[in-house]
Amino acid sequence: MEIGIDSFAATPVTNETGTPVHSMNSLNELLERIEQADKAGLDVFGIGEHHRKEFLDSAPAILLAAAASRTKRIKLSSAVTVLSAADPVRVFQSFATLDLISQGRAEMVVGRGSFTESFPLFGYNLHDYNELFAEKLDLLLTIRDNEYVTWSGKFRPALNNQPIYPRPLQDPLPVWLGVGGTPESFVRAGTLGLPLMVAVIGGETHRFRPLIDLYKEAGEKAGHSPETLKVGLHSLGYVAETTKEAVEDFFPGYAKTFTRIGRERGWPPITRQHFDAQNGPRGALLVGSPEEVADKLLRHSEALGGISRFTFQMDNAELSHEQLLKAINLVGTRVISLVNS
């Protein structure tokens, strides 16, 4: 199983000494964490895409390119590229360029995103949410598979035998489909033969097994071999030397962040009881010691029929740069060996 980190480049309020952190310093610290993940032996590091004040990831390809110059082996991915509000030509060009800079380590996870700010920002109608994504995914895959592109659609000017450059080092450039809980999204990924990245940020992880079965059934029906139908899992998590330490570090910032988001979406405030349930044996959170997190990750994999990649999202709980670096080292030196032994 590949194991990595996904970051939304959340803007920390303070560092370990309690002083404010400037956005410039925050991004430099993020690049240090990616560099450390590479040295610690993690397999992949993903950067999300948001267009909100509390995140610094509105241009993920630029952050990943900066990371490429400081790393040697780790795969560099989006997590996710909000394709519905982007131009697939520019998305492909950005990640093809990243692939060349990184000497073949670029990947994309494309999806529709969990926030909606990008639609008015880039002049799209939220009512076209599904149509936009389907059309733009079709164009992105067409560009990936063809140097000269002839294509037409509803939301973008047509292309008539248009060459699109640069071409990436990898052929094909890896494109994963990032999904939440919509059955149609799982079926789409299977029909297209794309690897699947399932974001589970709440509830019980095992409940996604029927949807993953749908994905595999759709893929096999479309003629794709089972080996190509890879499943990845993205969940909130954090690792410290002991579970008590991990929970004490993670819970306060987690509760603050998700209570704030809940005010936008109608969720109740996050309580310790809610957190403990989510961090229980079947819950989506993976917060604990290396041994406990590894055991839970293996249980999740078995419940979902086997996963080939897992990515922690750690930087949504106002943890300091120093805490995140320690967690990355523990993942690299202990969790990975426990899971893959």
Side-chain angles (χ1 to χ4, degrees):
M1 183 190 304
E2 293 182 321
I3 296 180
I5 305 288
D6 286 336
S7 173
F8 293 170
T11 310
V13 178
T14 61
N15 62 18
E16 206 164 57
T17 64
T19 57
V21 178
H22 191 280
S23 295
M24 177 188 70
N25 295 332
S26 179
L27 287 180
N28 282 316
E29 289 176 348
L30 173 61
L31 293 174
E32 287 179 23
R33 294 196 294 274
I34 302 174
E35 188 174 6
Q36 186 57 42
D38 185 49
K39 292 177 180 176
L42 276 69
D43 298 292
V44 60
F45 204 107
I47 301 292
E49 180 190 340
H50 298 82
H51 303 274
R52 300 167 62 90
K53 184 177 181 179
E54 63 264 37
F55 301 116
L56 296 170
D57 61 349
S58 62
I62 293 177
L63 293 175
L64 293 168
S69 69
R70 298 171 60 161
T71 56
K72 291 180 170 52
R73 51 166 297 279
I74 196 166
K75 295 177 182 177
L76 300 168
S77 177
S78 59
V80 301
T81 295
V82 184
L83 193 59
S84 301
D87 181 352
V89 173
R90 294 299 286 151
V91 168
F92 178 84
Q93 290 174 324
S94 293
F95 280 85
T97 302
L98 172 64
D99 199 50
L100 296 173
I101 293 170
S102 66
Q103 300 180 13
R105 293 185 284 131
E107 298 191 358
M108 271 186 274
V109 180
V110 300
R112 290 178 284 192
S114 60
F115 293 95
T116 61
E117 290 83 4
S118 58
F119 287 84
L121 183 62
F122 296 109
Y124 293 104
N125 191 326
L126 189 57
H127 293 295
D128 297 324
Y129 184 82
N130 292 317
E131 279 187 285
L132 278 164
F133 183 73
E135 178 176 300
K136 293 189 174 193
L137 179 60
D138 175 65
L139 176 54
L140 178 66
L141 296 177
T142 299
I143 296 168
R144 182 186 70 163
D145 297 338
N146 300 276
E147 182 174 344
Y148 286 78
V149 174
T150 296
W151 177 94
S152 63
K154 177 180 176 182
F155 299 102
R156 190 199 186 283
L159 298 169
N160 184 19
N161 199 35
Q162 181 72 44
I164 296 177
Y165 302 113
R167 307 307 298 178
L169 183 63
Q170 297 179 86
D171 185 16
L173 182 68
V175 175
W176 295 62
L177 191 62
V179 299
T182 306
E184 292 78 8
S185 297
F186 286 79
V187 171
R188 175 189 286 125
T191 301
L192 294 171
L194 297 176
L196 184 74
M197 181 57 73
V198 186
V200 183
I201 62 170
E204 296 185 337
T205 299
H206 75 279
R207 68 189 172 90
F208 282 82
R209 177 61 183 268
L211 295 171
I212 290 172
D213 289 342
L214 272 179
Y215 162 69
K216 293 180 177 179
E217 290 167 7
E220 292 174 13
K221 184 177 180 181
H224 303 292
S225 66
E227 293 75 22
T228 66
L229 301 172
K230 297 188 294 184
V231 177
L233 177 64
H234 159 101
S235 294
L236 309 181
Y238 174 68
V239 184
E241 287 287 352
T242 68
T243 295
K244 181 176 184 294
E245 180 185 353
V247 170
E248 289 177 353
D249 286 350
F250 191 84
F251 171 71
Y254 165 83
K256 183 177 177 180
T257 297
F258 281 86
T259 295
R260 183 182 68 246
I261 295 172
R263 286 195 290 268
E264 297 180 21
R265 302 189 179 188
W267 302 339
I270 300 298
T271 65
R272 180 59 186 267
Q273 182 180 13
H274 167 87
F275 172 84
D276 288 341
Q278 291 294 297
N279 203 38
R282 290 156 66 100
L285 297 179
L286 286 94
V287 178
S289 68
E291 293 75 18
E292 185 169 342
V293 167
D295 285 345
K296 189 171 185 180
L297 184 48
L298 289 170
R299 289 198 304 273
H300 282 349
S301 181
E302 182 178 3
L304 297 178
I307 60 176
S308 59
R309 176 178 291 182
F310 177 79
T311 54
F312 291 89
Q313 184 190 347
M314 295 185 182
D315 66 351
N316 59 345
E318 297 190 354
L319 296 162
S320 71
H321 177 54
E322 292 78 9
Q323 288 172 317
L324 291 170
L325 283 175
K326 290 176 184 177
I328 288 168
N329 281 329
L330 287 171
V331 172
T333 59
R334 291 168 63 180
V335 175
I336 288 176
S337 60
L338 288 167
V339 169
N340 291 320
S341 60

